[in-house]
Amino acid sequence: MAFGKKDKNENEPDTNNVDPSLRTHAEEQLARTKTNAPDFAGHTPEELIHELQVHQIELETQAEELRQAYRALEESRDKYLDLYEFAPLGYLTLSDKGIICEVNLTGAALLGFVRKDLIRARFSTFVTESDGDTWYRYFKKVQDLEGKQVCALSLMRGDGSVFPARLECIRIPGTRDGPPTVRVAVNDITDLRRAGDALRISNKKLNLLSGITRHDINNQLFTINAYLEIIRKNISDPSVQKDFARITAASDRMAKIILFTKEYEQVGAKDPAWQNCHFLVDRAARQADPGNVLVKNDLPAGLEIFADPLVAKVFYNLIDNAARHGGKITTIRFFFQEAGELCIIVCEDDGDGVAADEKELIFER
């Protein structure tokens, strides 16, 4: 009989590299869940070893699949982390008290601080004093309402400089793991403000030029009409009088075109707003003065549209054109009808209408 160190069987599990704490944890777990030992009767040692080896391979395969899934999750996390950190907008997470809990690199750069110095700081400290009340009301609105809320205000950087910002916030309900939070997206709209200011200045200059031009043309038209009237009174030939009438009508059309340019330059000059359609129709009917034509306003009193204030001119023109060119017209009616998700405002009348062969010419100059 030979004595000495026993050679290790290649089929025996290698326990040298196993963390002792893992084995202790496994033994404790086995003790807590221990059931009756399985019956190995009728199985040879070779069969049992074979089953253990198959089970070992199954466990190793599952472990490799878990490692691959973990690596894929890490890669996905890193990709979306980069998108979050280097997004063109500043992203912050605030507590329900307005304390900064998280901020991406863009947000830290916008506010002019190192990220670690922003954590646990109150967001309100970066709001300018003049917009403090606006921020307070807005933050309360975000917490009280569902969905995204938008606000524009001025923020102050760490160096004291101020920039206009657009904020989009949404409240995230609390869970068992934590209280509710508020997600904030901050966009520096300095360039947008500058472009808007430049556009307004440009429009102001163009409107000034067009106003002076209209004034000069109207003066010349007034002079032309005055001389035409003097000449007309000195000529008694009926055939010539008809020509004067045509000239005067052409002059009146020119005056109307010039007036239209004054109205058109106001398009977009004011921000769109919610407007009551029922009120707009009533006012247009009074201003247009359609004579004996009845204007029936069947629009609901609460029906509103979000549009340029000049939409009032649309209702006026509909009534005025129908009354002027409707022939034997007696009634103009406004009502609305639903078409799926759309609400359509309808204007109809019982007048003669436009001849079929002239309808294609309505929108031609």
Side-chain angles (χ1 to χ4, degrees):
M1 179 178 293
F3 293 91
K5 185 176 181 180
K6 180 181 178 182
D7 293 337
K8 181 175 178 62
N9 190 319
E10 63 178 4
N11 292 326
E12 291 181 2
D14 182 8
T15 60
N16 293 331
N17 296 324
V18 177
D19 186 347
S21 62
L22 292 179
R23 182 176 182 84
T24 302
H25 176 73
E27 290 177 344
E28 292 175 351
Q29 183 72 14
L30 178 63
R32 286 195 297 269
T33 60
K34 191 172 183 180
T35 57
N36 294 331
D39 183 10
F40 293 120
H43 296 280
T44 64
E46 290 78 8
E47 290 176 337
L48 293 176
I49 292 173
H50 174 76
E51 287 298 323
L52 289 173
Q53 289 175 334
V54 170
H55 188 56
Q56 179 182 3
I57 294 174
E58 290 177 347
L59 292 176
E60 290 175 348
T61 302
Q62 292 176 0
E64 180 60 27
E65 291 176 350
L66 287 174
R67 282 192 292 268
Q68 292 177 0
Y70 182 75
R71 284 194 294 268
L73 286 174
E74 282 187 321
E75 292 174 359
S76 177
R77 180 202 62 189
D78 293 343
K79 179 178 70 173
Y80 286 105
L81 182 61
D82 288 342
L83 290 175
Y84 169 77
E85 293 288 12
F86 302 106
L89 303 181
Y91 292 127
L92 300 92
T93 300
L94 308 183
S95 70
D96 56 352
K97 304 298 183 183
I99 305 297
I100 299 176
C101 303
E102 298 175 5
V103 57
N104 68 344
L105 292 177
T106 304
L110 280 175
L111 297 177
F113 279 89
V114 179
R115 176 158 49 186
K116 65 182 181 62
D117 294 335
L118 293 173
I119 304 302
R120 292 187 294 277
R122 283 192 176 274
F123 185 81
S124 59
T125 59
F126 302 101
V127 179
T128 58
E129 185 177 353
S130 59
D131 284 338
D133 290 341
T134 302
W135 163 252
Y136 173 79
R137 291 192 296 269
Y138 171 64
F139 192 66
K140 187 176 186 305
K141 180 180 178 182
V142 170
Q143 292 180 309
D144 292 342
L145 301 179
E146 294 183 358
K148 181 178 68 176
Q149 308 297 325
V150 180
C151 176
L153 44 74
S154 297
L155 298 180
M156 185 167 56
R157 296 187 178 93
D159 59 5
S161 61
V162 175
F163 68 96
R166 172 187 167 91
L167 273 58
E168 297 184 13
C169 296
I170 187 170
R171 181 178 181 271
I172 306 301
T175 63
R176 289 181 299 177
D177 298 328
T181 57
V182 174
R183 301 280 170 81
V184 185
V186 182
N187 185 17
D188 184 349
I189 57 174
T190 300
D191 292 340
L192 184 62
R193 285 280 180 88
R194 289 173 179 169
D197 292 341
L199 181 61
R200 280 189 289 273
I201 293 173
S202 177
N203 283 337
K204 186 176 181 180
K205 292 179 179 179
L206 289 174
N207 291 342
L208 177 61
L209 176 61
S210 63
I212 294 172
T213 304
R214 273 195 309 272
H215 179 75
D216 292 343
I217 293 175
N218 281 328
N219 285 342
Q220 297 302 315
L221 283 175
F222 179 80
T223 302
I224 292 172
N225 289 333
Y227 278 109
L228 282 174
E229 183 64 18
I230 293 172
I231 297 172
R232 186 185 65 80
K233 290 181 179 180
N234 293 328
I235 297 177
S236 58
D237 186 349
S239 61
V240 177
Q241 293 291 335
K242 292 182 180 179
D243 293 333
F244 275 110
R246 294 190 184 97
I247 295 173
T248 303
S251 176
D252 290 341
R253 285 195 295 273
M254 290 179 63
K256 289 182 178 179
I257 292 172
I258 293 171
L259 179 62
F260 174 75
T261 64
K262 181 179 180 181
E263 296 172 349
Y264 186 77
E265 75 180 16
Q266 298 300 318
V267 175
K270 297 182 179 179
D271 293 333
W274 287 103
Q275 299 174 72
N276 189 301
C277 296
H278 187 92
F279 170 77
L280 292 178
V281 170
D282 282 348
R283 186 175 64 181
R286 292 192 300 271
Q287 294 174 342
D289 189 18
N292 295 325
V293 178
L294 173 65
V295 177
K296 293 185 63 178
N297 186 358
D298 291 334
L299 295 175
L303 182 64
E304 294 184 339
I305 57 173
F306 188 75
D308 190 291
L310 279 179
V311 72
K313 190 67 176 176
V314 174
F315 293 105
Y316 174 89
N317 287 340
L318 288 172
I319 296 173
D320 184 62
N321 289 338
R324 286 176 181 272
H325 310 292
K328 299 178 181 180
I329 182 173
T330 62
T331 305
I332 302 171
R333 179 178 175 234
F334 287 87
F335 63 96
F336 89 104
Q337 57 190 24
E338 296 182 9
E341 296 182 353
L342 301 178
C343 175
I344 301 174
I345 298 175
V346 182
C347 173
E348 67 177 14
D349 62 73
D350 59 356
D352 296 339
V354 181
D357 57 346
E358 296 180 359
K359 288 184 177 180
E360 295 297 329
L361 305 177
I362 292 177
F363 297 104
E364 293 186 5
R365 298 293 296 174

